[in-house]
Structure formats: structure tokens, C-alpha cells
Amino acid sequence: MQKPILILGACGQIGTELTMELRSKYGAETVIASDIREGAGTLMQSGPFEILDATNYQAIEDVVMHYEIDEVYLMAAMLSATAEKFPMRAWNLNMNSLFNVLNLAKEKKISKIFWPSSIAVFGPNTPKDNTAQNVIMEPSTVYGISKQAGERWCEYYFNKFGVDVRSVRYPGLISWKTKPGGGTTDYAVEIYHEALEKGEYTCFLAKDTKLPMMYMDDAIRATISLMESPAENLNIRSSYNLGSMSFGPEDITKSIQSHIPDFKVIYEPDFRQQIADSWPSSIDDSAAQNDWNWKPRFDLDSTTKEMLENLRKH
Ligand code: NAD
């Protein structure tokens, strides 16, 4: 039987859907959602919720003890675009929250951790096409630096203290249930909303900016599948490359136009263009395929179909 799970940062783009999926899989009372703020009504009403600051070790420990938590999913973080505006706040949040959960596991108060890294861990000197698991990594953003440091610390805690920490480098994520939280790939969600609401969209990235992307259902499935894998199958304790599809604003525009022919996009790249230019355009995730049978289900056109259908309905 699944022991209790705590999700930190549960009200965000990923946390909301992850919480709902874990609750439907393991039972509502088994999954404790937490965040520094309240989230969507569906999330709040679906099971236990605690207001909890991921940078406060004592507060997390109290919740862990109270609910006899066994696994923690750490989804609280400041994302790439926002982090460029508040570098020290981003560093403090992204690193201290990670140390808190790693230290809880080191102290044997919890037994398993999920912590997400990102394609932002790569940098402008990384080969861009089919980027391999182990390549040169010189991230040039605050967010990317925090993810790279986080990966090193995860591997260190595994090797040194036997902490069972698991991680993937998420690509940009597309979802309709919760709006994205200040990342460089947010355009790929906004564009669907604006296509339906206004019939046009002003894109903050140039039209040929190809980035690795993934539909949220695939990301949630990957996360849970990695967490359920036998520990002995996992050869990577920093973070697994995770791939699905790669496209740029022009490709997503064409995909939307096959449903909404009059849809128009204007390109006005801003500071986020430079961040996007430092990231890979596609990802080699053969390690994830080999170690835990990773395989994506959604391509761009099936994503577009899901996004437009669901946004129209809700
Ligand atoms: P998000 O910004 O949508 O959600 C983050 C949540 O953390 C928010 O609900 C916020 O209120 C909460 N939070 C902020 N400070 C907190 C604190 N001190 N204590 C507790 N909660 C706090 O982010 P997301 O898109 O859901 O991302 C989750 C994780 O996945 C992050 O580590 C992010 O770096 C990573 N990631 C996301 C993407 C993506 O495309 N969404 C891509 C790569 C990696």
C-alpha cells in the first residue's frame, strides 16, 4: 500500500495536475497538497491541504511527522523568466527548499524524493540538437544555475547518504488546467488561450525558436513512472533527460491554424528570447527509455487538439 505523500508547491502548473493524478491513483487522503497560497477549487476540495513554506525546514518536518509522510514531491520553485528579475530570491527558494527535503531524507524522516530539474540546466555551449544526457553544461540563467547545482547536490546526497532522490529534466510543459508560472516556454500555453479568446497572439519568442516541449499528461506519467521504478533500475541520480516533441512558435501556429484558419501571430521577442537561445532544441532521452521504459504519447497535433477541445469546454 502507498504510504503518505507530501507535495510542496502543489498549486502550480505541474503540482495541481500531479496532486489530482496521485490522489486518483493512491486515494485522496494519501496525498497531502501544500503551498504558500491556496490553489484552484478542484484541488483544494479534493483532499488534505496545508499552507506550508518550502524554505521552512521545521514547518515541513512538522507536517511530515503529523501525516507520517514517506515521499515528498518538491514542486515549489521560481521559474526561469521570473528568476532573472529576482535572482537572490530565486536562488534562496530553489536551493533552500531542496536542501530541506534532502536533509529530511538524510535524517531518515522521509524515504523518497522527487525533485524536477529542467532543460534550463544546459547552456549556450551545449550542443543543441538531440542533446545528450552527459554534455557540457554552462547554464547562463539564475534558474539554470540553480537547477545544475540542485542536480549535483541530489547525486551527492544519493552517493554519500543513500538518499533515494529521483529527477527528470522537464522540457517546456503545455497544459490547460493551470496557467504557467513565469517560464520561458509559457508562450506555448498562452497561444492556445489567445487563439480562442482573441484570434491573435503576440509571441515573445521569434518564430523559429525550436525548443523541447511536452504535453502535461506525458509529464505527469513520466514523473509517477520514475517514482514507481525499482531503485536498482535507476542509473542516474542527478536528473534524467526527458524528451517528447520539439517545435517553435511557427509550428504551433500552423497546428492551431488547422483548427482556426484565421488565427494570426505577431512576433515581438523580448528578454526571454535570450534565455530560449541558450537552451537545446531537442533532447536525447535514451537513458530514461532504457532505465524505466519512458515513451511519450502526445505529439504537437494531438496536443493542439486536446488543448483547444478542453479550453473550449472549460
Ligand atoms: P509554478 O510556478 O506553476 O508553481 C510553483 C508553485 O510553488 C506555486 O504554486 C507557488 O505558489 C509555489 N511556491 C512558491 N514559493 C513557495 C514556497 N516558499 N513554499 C511553497 N510553495 C511555494 O511552477 P511549475 O511549472 O509547476 O514547476 C514546478 C517545478 O517544475 C519547478 O521546480 C520547475 O522549475 C520545474 N519545471 C517546470 C517546467 C514547466 O514548463 N512548467 C519546466 C521545467 C521544470
Side-chain angles (χ1 to χ4, degrees):
M1 204 179 83
Q2 177 65 45
K3 292 184 183 158
I5 293 171
L6 173 65
I7 302 176
L8 298 164
C11 298
Q13 190 195 6
I14 305 175
T16 302
E17 297 203 30
L18 180 66
T19 304
M20 300 305 283
E21 183 59 27
L22 288 171
R23 281 181 174 163
S24 82
K25 204 170 160 70
Y26 302 132
E29 299 304 314
T30 306
V31 182
I32 318 306
S34 74
D35 202 295
I36 43 166
R37 61 179 174 105
E38 293 199 348
T42 41
L43 174 86
M44 301 303 294
Q45 284 139 31
S46 66
F49 179 83
E50 295 282 339
I51 291 286
L52 186 55
D53 180 352
T55 63
N56 183 337
Y57 182 89
Q58 192 53 55
I60 306 174
E61 190 183 341
D62 290 348
V63 170
V64 163
M65 292 301 150
H66 178 75
Y67 289 98
E68 298 179 2
I69 298 293
D70 188 56
E71 292 179 15
V72 174
Y73 288 69
L74 171 55
M75 310 313 284
M78 194 185 289
L79 303 201
S80 57
T82 315
E84 289 306 295
K85 295 181 182 154
F86 308 104
M88 289 324 294
R89 263 172 58 194
W91 180 257
N92 288 336
L93 171 58
N94 296 4
M95 298 315 297
N96 291 341
S97 59
L98 177 58
F99 279 121
N100 285 344
V101 292
L102 287 174
N103 285 327
L104 276 170
K106 181 186 162 198
E107 301 299 327
K108 310 269 182 259
K109 297 192 165 130
I110 53 173
S111 63
K112 214 193 261 186
I113 298 168
F114 178 81
W115 170 80
S117 185
S118 157
I119 52 164
V121 78
F122 301 111
N125 299 322
T126 303
K128 282 198 181 302
D129 293 324
N130 210 23
T131 300
Q133 177 70 37
N134 294 309
V135 283
I136 186 164
M137 281 183 199
E138 294 173 342
S140 53
T141 61
V142 175
Y143 176 71
I145 297 169
S146 76
K147 290 299 184 189
Q148 188 189 37
E151 286 192 9
R152 297 290 88 226
W153 280 110
C154 286
E155 193 183 85
Y156 184 86
Y157 269 67
F158 173 75
N159 287 331
K160 196 96 179 170
F161 309 118
V163 166
D164 188 356
V165 54
R166 304 169 180 213
S167 176
V168 292
R169 294 170 178 154
Y170 286 131
L173 299 180
I174 303 177
S175 65
W176 57 269
K177 287 185 188 145
T178 312
K179 289 209 171 165
T184 302
T185 52
D186 291 8
Y187 90 87
V189 177
E190 291 167 6
I191 196 166
Y192 290 106
H193 286 266
E194 305 262 306
L196 290 169
E197 284 162 25
K198 300 184 188 150
E200 62 175 54
Y201 177 62
T202 303
C203 185
F204 59 75
L205 295 184
K207 61 180 170 187
D208 55 353
T209 312
K210 212 171 147 205
L211 291 169
M213 302 293 301
M214 182 176 281
Y215 190 54
M216 187 61 85
D217 292 30
D218 273 338
I220 301 295
R221 204 166 43 79
T223 305
I224 297 174
S225 155
L226 173 63
M227 286 298 272
E228 288 183 339
S229 293
E232 60 273 20
N233 292 1
L234 306 180
N235 295 302
I236 292 172
R237 293 300 187 146
S238 52
S239 189
Y240 279 95
N241 272 6
L242 189 68
S244 167
M245 49 186 151
S246 283
F247 60 78
E250 194 171 34
D251 305 310
I252 197 169
T253 301
K254 282 188 190 136
S255 178
I256 294 174
Q257 281 167 340
S258 70
H259 299 260
I260 308 172
D262 293 337
F263 177 52
K264 283 192 185 55
V265 177
I266 302 158
Y267 296 95
E268 287 179 7
D270 67 12
F271 74 101
R272 289 168 280 194
Q273 184 64 43
Q274 206 184 346
I275 303 178
D277 287 341
S278 76
W279 292 354
S281 47
S282 58
I283 293 290
D284 171 359
D285 63 2
S286 42
Q289 293 175 35
N290 293 335
D291 288 3
W292 42 281
N293 296 321
W294 164 243
K295 201 170 182 297
R297 289 185 186 151
F298 287 85
D299 63 10
L300 176 56
D301 286 334
S302 49
T303 298
T304 296
K305 192 165 169 283
E306 287 274 313
M307 286 296 287
L308 294 177
E309 270 176 20
N310 284 298
L311 289 175
R312 273 196 184 109
K313 261 190 257 165
H314 297 90

